[in-house]
Amino acid sequence: MKDKIAVQVDDLTVAYNYKPVLWDVDLKIPEGVLMAVVGPNGAGKSTLIKSVLGIVKPLAGSVKVFGKPYEKQRRHVAYVPQKGSVDWDFPTTALDVVTMGTYGRLGWMRRPGAKQKKEALEALEKVGMLPFKNRQISQLSGGQQQRIFLARALVQNASVYLMDEPFQGVDATTEKAIIRILKDLRRTGKTVIVVHHDLQTVPEYFDWVTFLNVKKIATGPVKEIFNDDHLTQTYGINYKVSIQP
Ligand code: ADP
């Protein structure tokens, strides 16, 4: 029974330069779902994720994670940013970046020890990046950096995972590897929220979906609401997606 709410968005309105990009959005995302956020470019999908993280400040409304603002739940939320959105101008290895994911649980003044390193190595193995552990992060491809960010999120052992287009520009093998990991997270009761572009794969990958186009069009179980009506309302006139049986 999915009755606990992991993320609750109430009356959220966000504007950049006085232009609203999210308008009066309400969402209740139950704990333990693997949810896609879909909508056209500029629909406010990234802005929604950034609002949960407190990176953008709303004009109105609020976002809560397990009933409290993000600032109080930081430790329980992991974020995988959009590929290429981070510039690495300082030298740091893949292993360092993943080990940093354990810091939140360590608290100030404590340095990661053998246990944390072991966790980081296991996460690198999980995302297929162990052979690159000593590589400078700046010298990895965008898709490889994406896997490193995923590994870092895994060691955070969070309750809520937010991912901004994790499949963008990755090859088919990486996509399969990532979705397997996301399904594993769901299996262990985590809540995973993913900005996603490929409508064809929504029914195969996700069990929950939110349609967004500045306003929330619909949110709920894929089986119930992933239909042409909602796609048309979100993407425009007579939008149809042919879903493979
Ligand atoms: P999506 O992820 O659905 O493509 P975004 O949330 O990235 O949409 O952006 C929504 C709208 O807000 C777009 O029109 C975008 O150009 C605009 N926008 C996003 N970030 C900023 C910003 N920092 N300053 C001004 N406008 C922005």
Side-chain angles (χ1 to χ4, degrees), residues 16-17 19 21 39-48 50 56 82 164-165 195 197 212:
Y16 294 114
N17 310 319
K19 183 173 169 278
V21 296
N41 288 331
K45 303 182 295 296
S46 292
T47 303
L48 177 67
K50 287 176 185 162
V56 296
Q82 227 174 60
D164 203 341
E165 297 192 41
V195 174
H197 265 291
L212 189 71

Side-chain angles (χ1 to χ4, degrees), residues 33-47:
V33 298
L34 174 49
M35 184 181 94
V37 181
V38 301
N41 288 331
K45 303 182 295 296
S46 292
T47 303

